[in-house]
Amino acid sequence: MFGWALLFLIIAIVCAVLGFMTLAGAAATIAQVLFVIALALAVLSAVIQAFRGRPPV
């Protein structure tokens, strides 16, 4: 999921450089949402593994 966020961030940067500000804004928003979701899932996964007694990988 972090890869998707990075991809949309790159798309946003390229669109901004080329002058497509509306598309750049949309891609940046999608990148932010995907990053937050991925971060939340990573934290949730670490907490669940900690409660199960498994060491973090």
Side-chain angles (χ1 to χ4, degrees), residues 3-55:
W4 282 99
L6 182 62
L7 175 71
F8 276 100
L9 178 64
I10 291 170
I11 290 171
I13 292 170
V14 169
C15 288
V17 168
L18 295 176
F20 300 109
M21 293 302 167
T22 304
L23 188 58
T29 302
I30 292 170
Q32 287 176 342
V33 169
L34 288 176
F35 180 76
V36 169
I37 291 171
L39 192 61
L41 289 175
V43 169
L44 181 66
S45 176
V47 169
I48 289 173
Q49 285 183 357
F51 280 124
R52 287 187 177 177
R54 296 182 187 165

